[in-house]
Amino acid sequence: MPEYPSLLLENAVNELSRLPGIGRKTAMRLALFLLRQDPVRTDALSKALTGLREGIHYCERCHNISDQQRCAICSNPRRDENTLCIVEDMRDVMAIERTAAYNGLYHVLGGVINPIEGIGPGDLTIAHLIERMQHEQINEVILALPPTVEGDTTSFYLHRQLSRPSLRLTTIAKGVAIGDTLEFADEVTLGRSITNRVLFEKVL
Amino acid sequence: MPEYPSLLLENAVNELSRLPGIGRKTAMRLALFLLRQDPVRTDALSKALTGLREGIHYCERCHNISDQQRCAICSNPRRDENTLCIVEDMRDVMAIERTAAYNGLYHVLGGVINPIEGIGPGDLTIAHLIERMQHEQINEVILALPPTVEGDTTSFYLHRQLSRPSLRLTTIAKGVAIGDTLEFADEVTLGRSITNRVLFEKVL
């Protein structure tokens, strides 16, 4: 007797367990859950996944995920077209949008430079970013990449590629999180918070 | 601007997050993972899930999941047809099969009696079990239900329903797990291990 009583079940468990963070036991739990639900639910899930994979577009301007050629941000005339925020992926766009603290445009790199995983500048949307910088009237570029070695490497690379006298090149502030206790902040973060201290009157 | 940059993405996240143990952040991670993979992968996943939901059978005899009318265990002539092991769901069948310690047949209840979740005897395959007991030549019934209040309630209910002089009605042994240290076993389990102690010569 094979380990699984049904080839259909085995096939579903195999496919589910290819997803990140889902092992064979979880995959089995998900498959049995779907079996207990109405078939309409499984159908809706399958259609949603296939629909996403086949129908998705990436904004031709900023590479954000979009249902149209241009995303809602790039086609919004009220956004500040002279400021460009550079992020790793579309989740960062959503996170920054939720803060309501930014009104410029974005450029989604699709990753960060990571030699260990074999991701170089050519695998990201950096060539298109450089082209955008030539055609669009950008006064400020904000580097909003993750505070990791890879993020910092990418920021440094972009700094070298994009620097020109007329451009204000900034990076998001890194330091102690609002509501954190200093005691429990890690030393690197707390150290940066002190090194990059700002005039008190500026935060008033 | 809506929170999600794409309705297709939002739809996929909604459907994925209906699965147990998958919140919206995990659903988003899964959706973005599929977007990075070849479309063939998403297609294979969708087809496997729909195929499972639409094509699955339950064995007409033991209610185990099967691709045929009768499962591989019920249609295997080498299995002992006089012994019946009663389990909660098909995962337990797989677990017991892996031990290679059992050669009889199964009966899958499809759950255990759980008044809080509104699951009564009528929601399980108990009526069919009683019918099987009348038509098949069963000498021993092994209750292999989970060692929980619900599992014990179900065992007690089945004991009352199935008891007859000619039937050997047993339950799987509960006690300290092999390899466990007594120090870290919970008191209830350790207590049961002592109460239900067996003659040493029997385990030699």
Side-chain angles (χ1 to χ4, degrees):
Chain A
M1 187 212 164
E3 214 212 322
Y4 287 86
S6 149
L7 281 176
L8 291 171
L9 179 67
E10 186 169 2
N11 191 18
V13 169
N14 284 345
E15 291 299 331
L16 283 167
S17 61
R18 285 179 203 271
L19 296 172
I22 295 189
R24 298 192 73 80
K25 286 212 171 174
T26 307
M28 174 68 109
R29 198 159 50 86
L30 297 179
L32 293 182
F33 172 83
L34 288 174
L35 282 175
R36 281 196 304 272
Q37 304 279 308
D38 195 280
V40 172
R41 286 259 58 80
T42 307
D43 208 42
L45 173 62
S46 293
K47 287 216 177 88
L49 295 180
T50 316
L52 171 71
R53 193 63 191 87
E54 285 168 3
I56 205 76
H57 289 281
Y58 292 90
C59 173
E60 59 180 8
R61 192 183 193 186
C62 76
H63 299 275
N64 191 9
I65 279 177
S66 174
D67 292 337
Q68 271 90 41
Q69 292 275 91
R70 281 221 169 180
C71 74
I73 297 173
C74 282
S75 50
N76 182 346
R78 295 207 200 150
R79 307 284 302 207
D80 168 12
E81 300 216 317
N82 307 122
T83 311
L84 195 59
C85 180
I86 298 180
V87 293
E88 181 180 9
D89 75 21
M90 51 136 303
R91 275 177 289 187
D92 304 325
V93 174
M94 287 172 66
I96 295 172
E97 285 298 298
R98 278 197 295 269
T99 68
Y102 180 67
N103 194 40
L105 301 180
Y106 291 93
H107 191 85
V108 179
L109 292 182
V112 285
I113 297 171
N114 189 334
I116 294 170
E117 293 190 10
I119 302 169
D123 300 309
L124 309 175
T125 62
I126 292 178
H128 183 222
L129 169 64
I130 291 168
E131 199 194 310
R132 275 186 80 177
M133 295 297 292
Q134 281 156 2
H135 292 94
E136 297 182 34
Q137 186 59 48
I138 310 288
N139 300 331
E140 177 171 0
V141 164
I142 304 172
L143 300 169
L145 298 173
T148 58
V149 174
E150 292 78 20
D152 288 346
T153 305
T154 311
S155 290
F156 187 70
Y157 179 85
L158 290 174
H159 166 75
R160 281 205 320 198
Q161 294 285 320
L162 303 180
S163 263
R164 59 175 197 234
S166 61
L167 181 73
R168 198 172 128 87
L169 196 67
T170 57
T171 176
I172 51 167
K174 282 135 198 169
V176 181
I178 313 289
D180 250 14
T181 43
L182 297 197
E183 190 187 352
F184 295 119
D186 67 284
E187 293 117 60
V188 179
T189 302
L190 189 56
R192 276 234 208 175
S193 277
I194 293 168
T195 312
N196 301 328
R197 60 197 180 276
V198 291
L199 278 175
F200 190 67
E201 61 192 29
K202 283 210 174 178
V203 291
L204 278 183
Chain B
M1 186 212 164
E3 214 211 321
Y4 287 86
S6 149
L7 281 176
L8 292 171
L9 179 67
E10 186 169 2
N11 192 17
V13 169
N14 284 345
E15 291 298 332
L16 283 167
S17 60
R18 284 179 205 271
L19 295 172
I22 296 188
R24 298 192 72 82
K25 285 211 171 173
T26 307
M28 174 68 111
R29 199 159 49 87
L30 297 179
L32 293 183
F33 172 83
L34 288 174
L35 282 174
R36 282 195 305 271
Q37 304 280 307
D38 194 281
V40 173
R41 285 259 58 83
T42 307
D43 210 40
L45 173 62
S46 294
K47 287 214 178 90
L49 295 180
T50 315
L52 171 70
R53 193 65 192 86
E54 285 168 4
I56 205 76
H57 290 281
Y58 292 90
C59 173
E60 57 179 9
R61 191 184 194 186
C62 76
H63 299 276
N64 191 10
I65 279 177
S66 173
D67 291 338
Q68 270 89 41
Q69 292 275 91
R70 282 220 168 179
C71 75
I73 297 173
C74 282
S75 51
N76 182 346
R78 297 209 200 149
R79 309 283 303 207
D80 168 13
E81 300 217 316
N82 307 122
T83 311
L84 195 60
C85 181
I86 298 182
V87 294
E88 179 178 10
D89 76 21
M90 52 136 300
R91 276 179 289 188
D92 304 324
V93 174
M94 288 173 64
I96 294 173
E97 285 299 297
R98 278 196 295 269
T99 68
Y102 180 67
N103 193 40
L105 301 181
Y106 292 93
H107 191 85
V108 179
L109 291 183
V112 284
I113 297 171
N114 190 333
I116 294 168
E117 292 189 11
I119 302 170
D123 299 312
L124 310 174
T125 63
I126 292 178
H128 183 222
L129 169 63
I130 291 168
E131 198 194 311
R132 275 186 81 178
M133 295 297 293
Q134 281 156 359
H135 293 93
E136 297 182 34
Q137 185 58 46
I138 310 289
N139 301 329
E140 177 171 0
V141 164
I142 304 171
L143 299 170
L145 298 173
T148 57
V149 173
E150 292 78 20
D152 288 344
T153 304
T154 311
S155 290
F156 187 69
Y157 180 84
L158 289 174
H159 167 73
R160 282 206 319 199
Q161 294 285 320
L162 303 180
S163 263
R164 59 174 197 233
S166 61
L167 183 73
R168 199 172 127 88
L169 196 68
T170 57
T171 175
I172 51 166
K174 283 135 197 168
V176 181
I178 313 288
D180 250 15
T181 43
L182 297 198
E183 190 187 354
F184 296 119
D186 68 283
E187 294 119 59
V188 180
T189 302
L190 189 55
R192 276 234 209 176
S193 278
I194 294 169
T195 311
N196 301 329
R197 62 198 179 276
V198 290
L199 279 175
F200 189 66
E201 60 194 30
K202 283 212 177 176
V203 293
L204 280 182

